[in-house]
Amino acid sequence: MTKAEQIFQVENLAGLRRIGVLTSGGDAPGMNAAVRAVVRTASFHGLEVVGIRRGFNGLHDGDMDLIGPRDVANIIQRGGTKLLTARSEAWRTPEGRAQGAEHLRHWKVDGLVVIGGDGSFRGAHLLAQEHGFRVMGVPGTIDNDLYGTDYTIGYHTAVETALDAVDRLRDTGASHERIFVVEVMGRHAGHIAIEVALAGGAEEVLVPERPKPLAEVAQTVRQSQERGKTSSIVIVAEGYPGGTDAVARAITENTGEETRVSILGHIQRGGTPVAHDRVLASVLGQAAVEALLAGRSGEMVGEVCQQLNYVPFEETWTKRKDVSTNKYRCARLLSC
């Protein structure tokens, strides 16, 4: 090892020799970059890596194999996840987790990196609590709903994908003088909706964190028409109370104008990750491995104000991450 390389060496305080990595839950652009970072960081520090396919389902079934730096070549620009992902009912049971733990022992895995959202971290937390494995989490979800990190891997790409669709719908809406109600993903959080609405110049944005009467929504659209607008875009987060169809009906009933619903759906999960997601995934993947080496466990590593931040798994689902009040207010104010 050269002197330059020695500068980056981290002492293996935990005595690790082999770690595992898996991706779990919904896929997110940038997961491949995180897997790549985990494998290559581990290799740099002299660790072997076991790639676990299909998340906790694969861990339960023993679907795993050794992977090295060359196995993760040329994947940083690819969407989805090379390791595949799945949801696992078996992992919800103590017996299922015990079987997964036995597979880890058979493969002589000393530590595990889990890339996913809060559901994945619940599974990781139980594994650590019940079987004593060292586990670190990397936030991989387009929803950006995890406490302890400014952004999650995949969020920025999902916003760009949704924004591109909204821009196209804007053209159609203007040509036909039509109102479009557009549903974006986000589960129970409105982060994607607010950012897309602000960047896309939407006339209204509806998020679960700031519910309002549908009559008020219709009034906003009607006021836009009175100011001379011949078409409108209303962005609705998928978790909004009542749903997108109810919003569209209320607008039609109160304005008399034809309203079309467009649900963007899973296209927001796919595609080439933007630079921000590739960089974030790379930084957090490296940090997760080095946290294991330093003896940390039971935490998610995120980034807050461009600094690494470590939070216990439980806080990722027990503490609430609110949407940006400033961005929400800006989107509403500029819609006039």
Side-chain angles (χ1 to χ4, degrees):
M1 181 179 298
T2 67
K3 289 184 178 180
E5 289 176 324
Q6 289 174 358
I7 296 174
F8 298 104
Q9 196 66 39
V10 174
E11 187 177 359
N12 190 348
L13 298 177
L16 301 180
R17 292 171 295 178
R18 180 180 287 180
I19 66 171
V21 59
L22 63 82
T23 52
S24 176
D27 61 304
M31 278 186 164
N32 276 325
V35 171
R36 172 181 178 270
V38 168
V39 172
R40 293 195 171 180
T41 301
S43 177
F44 178 83
H45 292 298
L47 305 178
E48 292 182 316
V49 179
V50 173
I52 301 163
R53 290 179 286 271
R54 299 178 180 86
F56 289 112
N57 204 44
L59 181 51
H60 172 268
D61 295 341
D63 188 6
M64 54 187 73
D65 208 347
L66 286 170
I67 56 176
R70 300 284 66 79
D71 295 307
V72 293
N74 201 34
I75 67 169
I76 193 171
Q77 78 281 7
R78 288 169 49 190
T81 164
K82 176 182 175 68
L83 291 177
L84 308 179
T85 184
R87 304 190 189 280
S88 176
E89 289 301 318
W91 200 258
R92 298 177 185 273
T93 67
E95 296 79 12
R97 295 189 292 272
Q99 185 167 330
E102 187 57 36
H103 287 307
L104 290 176
R105 295 187 190 99
H106 173 77
W107 280 87
K108 295 181 172 56
V109 171
D110 304 306
L112 181 67
V113 176
V114 173
I115 304 166
D118 63 344
S120 303
F121 295 158
R122 289 172 190 259
H125 174 68
L126 289 170
L127 177 66
Q129 290 291 307
E130 295 172 356
H131 299 281
F133 280 98
R134 295 187 180 277
V135 188
M136 288 297 298
V138 174
T141 168
I142 69 169
D143 302 328
N144 199 37
D145 59 351
L146 293 174
Y147 176 85
T149 186
D150 287 339
Y151 298 109
T152 57
I153 297 164
Y155 170 69
H156 281 88
T157 304
V159 168
E160 292 294 339
T161 300
L163 179 60
D164 180 67
V166 167
D167 287 345
R168 294 169 188 268
L169 290 171
R170 174 75 76 180
D171 293 341
T172 296
S175 298
H176 290 270
E177 299 180 303
R178 187 170 289 160
I179 301 166
F180 270 101
V181 177
V182 184
E183 181 183 289
V184 299
M185 296 185 83
R187 203 169 56 159
H188 305 299
H191 300 278
I192 293 176
I194 290 176
E195 201 123 335
V196 170
L198 181 55
E203 278 66 37
E204 180 64 282
V205 56
L206 304 176
V207 296
E209 296 89 343
R210 306 286 190 275
K212 62 181 66 175
L214 294 183
E216 183 180 330
V217 177
Q219 182 181 5
T220 298
V221 175
R222 187 167 57 248
Q223 290 172 343
S224 296
Q225 294 173 324
E226 292 170 355
R227 291 193 296 269
K229 291 189 176 183
T230 58
S231 66
S232 294
I233 296 286
V234 177
I235 304 295
V236 183
E238 66 176 332
Y240 193 76
T244 308
D245 288 337
V247 174
R249 283 196 301 271
I251 293 173
T252 298
E253 291 169 1
N254 284 271
T255 65
E257 298 293 333
E258 185 178 11
T259 305
R260 295 293 179 88
V261 171
S262 182
I263 299 176
L264 301 187
H266 288 76
I267 65 167
Q268 294 158 90
R269 281 191 184 173
T272 301
V274 298
H276 189 284
D277 284 324
R278 300 187 200 190
V279 171
L280 181 64
S282 298
V283 168
L284 298 186
Q286 174 196 339
V289 174
E290 293 184 344
L292 286 173
L293 288 168
R296 305 188 78 113
S297 180
E299 298 173 309
M300 178 198 80
V301 57
E303 191 176 67
V304 175
C305 297
Q306 301 185 55
Q307 299 295 317
L308 293 176
N309 186 50
Y310 301 87
V311 296
F313 280 139
E314 305 99 301
E315 292 189 9
T316 65
W317 66 79
T318 59
K319 291 191 175 182
R320 183 170 178 266
K321 178 181 179 179
D322 199 6
V323 294
S324 168
T325 299
N326 290 336
K327 289 180 181 177
Y328 178 73
R329 181 172 179 271
C330 186
R332 298 293 310 286
L333 187 150
L334 299 183
S335 66
C336 61

